[in-house]
Amino acid sequence: MGNQTGLFVVLEGMDGSGKSTHLAYLQRLFETKGRSVRLTREPGGSEFAEVIRQQVLFAPMGPWTEMLAVAAARRDHLEKTIWPALARNEVVLCDRFSDSTWAYQVRGRGLPEAAALSLESWVLTDGRGPDAVFYFDLPPEVSFERRAARASASGETAVDRFEQEDLGFYGRVRQGYVEAAARRGSKSHWIDATQSIEKIQSKLQAMISNI
Ligand code: ADP
Ligand code: TYD
């Protein structure tokens, strides 16, 4: 990581792909190595961004408002939470970041690529982005099954705006992640999320030792 302080790690993937499960595992791995870990998420992760999160998930809005809202939330999250944690040499483990915008708003909703790329570069204009991104890849059908199983186990009935989308939308989201991972080059770590949790965790352990 050269002379940079801290480490900024992002987990991406569809609902049910295992991000929360593996965030907790990665936290333990890093803490075992003696690192301080800051767990966070998008949209959200700062007071302002958590307010935006509620709106983006549940309030009716058009695709442009949605993309601009997640970008505004991201900037506040970086300023208030991520950049200060990196400056303290912490490991930031973030559930989703800007590749979700590419997958959901550009590929899912069909917004222009140039708009998302431009927003990302402005949001990151005076600070750094992720050092590593883990993509948990899952067929949309499996995502739907895991989401349903989790909902029935927890009794959770609230369905957000993204959970109302169909298999076609999530097929495009999946393709969007393939593109986002290609763009990040050596910072990308692609994981087949249909494998067992144990197998994925042993791969994560190996990947982490190379970051
Ligand atoms: P996300 O945070 O990406 O929505 P979760 O970590 O909450 O995903 O996982 C969703 C559900 O799927 C949970 O019930 C979890 O135990 C289960 N799960 C996660 N990874 C796997 C896996 N590799 N195989 C089977 N089930 C899994
Ligand atoms: P969340 O419940 O955190 O994720 P999950 O579905 O994995 O449990 O929901 C966040 C939602 O916000 C998710 O459906 C994807 C969406 N999202 C975007 O559309 N664009 C973005 O830039 C981000 C960060 C999230």
Side-chain angles (χ1 to χ4, degrees), residues 30-66:
F30 280 110
E31 285 177 349
T32 306
K33 290 173 171 222
R35 301 293 303 259
S36 295
V37 173
R38 181 72 160 86
L39 278 187
T40 188
R41 67 172 178 183
E42 288 214 348
S46 67
E47 203 179 325
F48 171 77
E50 287 291 331
V51 173
I52 293 197
R53 175 186 178 87
Q54 277 311 305
Q55 298 300 309
V56 167
L57 291 182
F58 296 107
M61 66 181 69
W64 279 102
T65 309
E66 187 179 279

Side-chain angles (χ1 to χ4, degrees), residues 70-173:
V70 293
R74 180 161 303 130
R75 177 67 199 200
D76 194 65
H77 183 208
L78 285 162
E79 287 179 10
K80 305 272 178 54
T81 306
I82 296 176
W83 289 334
L86 294 174
R88 292 190 299 267
N89 200 26
E90 294 176 10
V91 176
V92 175
L93 296 179
C94 189
D95 188 341
R96 299 184 180 279
F97 194 68
S98 56
D99 292 342
S100 283
T101 305
W102 186 267
Y104 287 75
Q105 278 69 52
V106 175
R107 290 296 172 246
R109 304 273 192 229
L111 290 179
E113 296 176 0
L117 291 173
S118 178
L119 275 174
E120 176 167 18
S121 74
W122 283 112
V123 163
L124 290 170
T125 191
D126 48 7
R128 88 198 230 218
D131 299 306
V133 182
F134 292 91
Y135 301 87
F136 294 87
D137 180 53
L138 207 58
E141 293 81 358
V142 181
S143 161
F144 279 41
E145 282 163 18
R146 287 196 194 162
R147 190 204 288 164
R150 189 178 51 190
S152 78
S154 68
E156 175 67 57
T157 52
V159 175
D160 69 44
R161 292 192 311 108
F162 298 97
E163 290 167 343
Q164 293 169 26
E165 295 297 338
D166 60 15
L167 282 172
F169 178 93
Y170 281 101
R172 298 195 298 281
V173 166

Side-chain angles (χ1 to χ4, degrees), residues 13-22 95 146 150 193-197 200:
M14 271 176 244
D15 197 6
S17 61
K19 298 183 300 300
S20 312
T21 306
H22 299 303
D95 188 341
R146 287 196 194 162
R150 189 178 51 190
T194 63
Q195 301 170 100
S196 71
I197 291 176
I200 292 170

